[in-house]
Amino acid sequence: MKQQANLIRAGQVIEHDGRRWTVLKQQIITPGKGGAFIQVEMRDLNTGNKTNERWRTADTVERLMTEDKDYTYSYTDGDNIVLMDPETFEQVMLHKDIFGDQLPFLQDNMELNVKLVEGDPVGVSLPPHVTLEITEADPVVKGQTASSSYKPALLSNGVKTMVPPFIEAGERVVVRTDDASYVERAKA
């Protein structure tokens, strides 16, 4: 299905130069002189290579229709992630690269949404938030206020994040899976 380039959004799958690409990021840029254009960061579905492409906002691109299917994470087998279809109990193996930066947030029995194009997996969506434990947190600097400053902390999955000064090591917190940012303290 043809669509204007300015309607490209992260998570979409497009066809460009005879290859399938999943859109990672997009940004519309309006320079001081000349017409606006869209800068798109995308990943080749076959090779996993990333590239940046620019289109004028009036250009058209071929968007591929995706089908969403829910799976449950089972286990990791080397470089592959094994998912199970909760309805048929069939197992599907996906390469780790398809998860991108969200891979560390994968947890046992997590419900995932897999995007398929003609039966081939092209993208995975994790739940928007996960609860993790803080393994390391810097001490509070005297005079810091809770409203304006954050301190570095290490989550139990090895990802670094910034947390408010009142969060200590050993506490459980809720973080976003897309950018590892702190949301709130976990409720008992």
Side-chain angles (χ1 to χ4, degrees), residues 3 5-14 21-29 37-44 49-55 61 99-102 122 177-179:
Q3 78 174 20
N6 64 340
L7 299 175
I8 293 174
R9 299 290 178 260
Q12 290 181 345
V13 179
I14 60 173
W21 302 85
T22 184
V23 176
L24 303 174
K25 295 179 191 170
Q26 94 288 347
Q27 179 180 12
I28 294 179
I29 300 170
F37 60 90
I38 184 165
Q39 174 86 27
V40 179
E41 182 180 324
M42 51 192 190
R43 177 182 283 130
D44 187 322
N49 294 337
K50 285 185 186 177
T51 189
N52 287 312
E53 192 71 41
R54 285 184 178 187
W55 286 285
V61 294
F99 289 85
D101 296 338
Q102 293 185 327
V122 295
T177 55
D178 57 353
D179 62 1

Side-chain angles (χ1 to χ4, degrees), residues 2 10 22 36 41 46 52 54 62-63 65 68 72 77 83 85 95 98-99 105 122 134 149 153 156 161 172 175 188:
K2 293 272 186 198
T22 184
E41 182 180 324
N46 294 332
N52 287 312
R54 285 184 178 187
E62 183 68 29
R63 178 179 172 198
M65 296 309 295
D68 289 352
T72 304
D77 182 20
L83 305 178
D85 185 330
H95 197 272
I98 201 168
F99 289 85
F105 297 102
V122 295
I134 299 288
S149 58
S156 57
T161 188
R172 294 179 56 78
V175 294

Side-chain angles (χ1 to χ4, degrees), residues 92-106:
V92 175
M93 292 181 94
L94 302 178
H95 197 272
K96 284 182 178 180
D97 292 345
I98 201 168
F99 289 85
D101 296 338
Q102 293 185 327
L103 184 63
F105 297 102
L106 201 56

Side-chain angles (χ1 to χ4, degrees), residues 110-135:
M110 181 180 273
E111 296 290 324
L112 309 171
N113 182 280
V114 178
K115 292 190 182 319
L116 305 166
V117 172
E118 297 172 4
D120 295 331
V122 295
V124 177
S125 299
L126 272 62
H129 302 106
V130 293
T131 302
L132 295 167
E133 187 175 324
I134 299 288
T135 55

Side-chain angles (χ1 to χ4, degrees), residues 73-94:
Y73 168 65
S74 293
Y75 61 94
T76 303
D77 182 20
D79 284 343
N80 294 314
I81 305 294
V82 180
L83 305 178
M84 182 184 68
D85 185 330
E87 296 169 8
T88 63
F89 301 107
E90 290 180 19
Q91 291 188 341
V92 175
M93 292 181 94
L94 302 178

